[in-house]
Amino acid sequence: MKLAGLLQGIDKKCVVGEIDREVLGLSYDSRTLQRGFIFFALSGQHTDGNRYLKEVVSKGAGAIVSELDPPPVPYAVSTTWIQVEDVHRAMSIISGHYYKKPSEHLCLVGVTGTNGKTTTSYYLESILE
């Protein structure tokens, strides 16, 4: 799937680099990133994904999605940099496009209340099967 298609609906602040490239996967963990993947630089509770940018560039990331300004050339010349306002929202939209919007094919049922939730869920399971 092409990066340009995955970026539809994303509020991009800045894009530096080629968007007509094939995306082979998605990752927010530098340890699982492979060549051609999009890397989402998330700020987490224990660490910030932006600290691992040199590593993901050296591993061949196809694109980096971050809230930070793009670095000066020639730091990320081989990697497309996509600066966004909210990297979590961008990851949600891009993931939906990449995996062909699986949430549109889900049927959800919620059961709330004080008593009878387990029994009700078993009844619903039996009926729906």
Side-chain angles (χ1 to χ4, degrees), residues 16-89:
V16 176
E18 182 62 45
I19 62 169
D20 187 36
R21 59 172 59 207
E22 198 67 28
V23 173
L24 304 177
L26 310 175
S27 180
Y28 59 88
D29 185 338
S30 62
R31 297 168 296 186
T32 63
L33 183 105
Q34 297 177 26
R35 180 168 296 284
F37 278 32
I38 295 176
F39 178 72
F40 298 95
L42 303 177
S43 295
Q45 187 175 12
H46 300 290
T47 190
D48 184 346
N50 291 292
R51 294 178 60 195
Y52 303 97
L53 297 179
K54 284 185 181 180
E55 178 185 344
V56 300
V57 168
S58 69
K59 284 185 167 185
I64 294 171
V65 179
S66 175
E67 294 173 1
L68 299 180
D69 291 330
V73 175
Y75 176 70
V77 290
S78 64
T79 303
T80 301
W81 188 279
I82 301 143
Q83 183 186 14
V84 295
E85 189 71 40
D86 182 348
V87 71
H88 290 92
R89 178 169 166 69

Side-chain angles (χ1 to χ4, degrees), residues 82-102:
I82 301 143
Q83 183 186 14
V84 295
E85 189 71 40
D86 182 348
V87 71
H88 290 92
R89 178 169 166 69
M91 183 170 69
S92 172
I93 293 169
I94 290 170
S95 297
H97 292 318
Y98 186 80
Y99 293 108
K100 298 177 176 66
K101 301 182 182 179

